[in-house]
Amino acid sequence: DNGFLVPERDSQQLAQKIKEIFLHYDEIETLVRKARITVEKKFDLNKNIEELVDIFTWQLKDLANKWKE
């Protein structure tokens, strides 16, 4: 668990989650640490660049093969 999700435009549930944060403030540090780890893994610049290069390379190879036909 690394965060909270509430439905869009649901102020009641948002208020409830904020209340839970204040009631369980001692657990928030762990939640924040896990959230940071998730962001660092999913949004690493070098990793994202490598993935984009792989996608573009695959697409270019596919396009080149179609032109050969």
Side-chain angles (χ1 to χ4, degrees):
D1 211 19
N2 62 7
F4 299 107
L5 290 176
V6 295
E8 288 182 46
R9 302 175 192 268
D10 189 338
S11 58
Q12 293 287 341
Q13 193 163 355
L14 179 60
Q16 180 60 36
K17 288 296 178 187
I18 291 170
K19 183 178 177 181
E20 287 177 31
I21 289 170
F22 283 105
L23 291 174
H24 303 284
Y25 191 76
D26 55 323
E27 299 171 15
I28 295 302
E29 186 176 341
T30 302
L31 186 73
V32 168
R33 195 174 0 194
K34 288 179 180 180
R36 181 178 181 104
I37 290 168
T38 299
V39 167
E40 288 173 350
K41 284 181 182 177
K42 287 189 172 188
F43 302 103
D44 177 78
L45 179 62
N46 292 323
K47 181 180 173 188
N48 288 342
I49 289 171
E50 287 177 20
E51 288 180 13
L52 283 172
V53 167
D54 289 344
I55 290 168
F56 291 139
T57 301
W58 179 81
Q59 288 292 328
L60 288 172
K61 286 180 182 177
D62 186 51
L63 186 60
N65 287 334
K66 287 180 182 177
W67 282 347
K68 288 179 184 178
E69 295 174 0

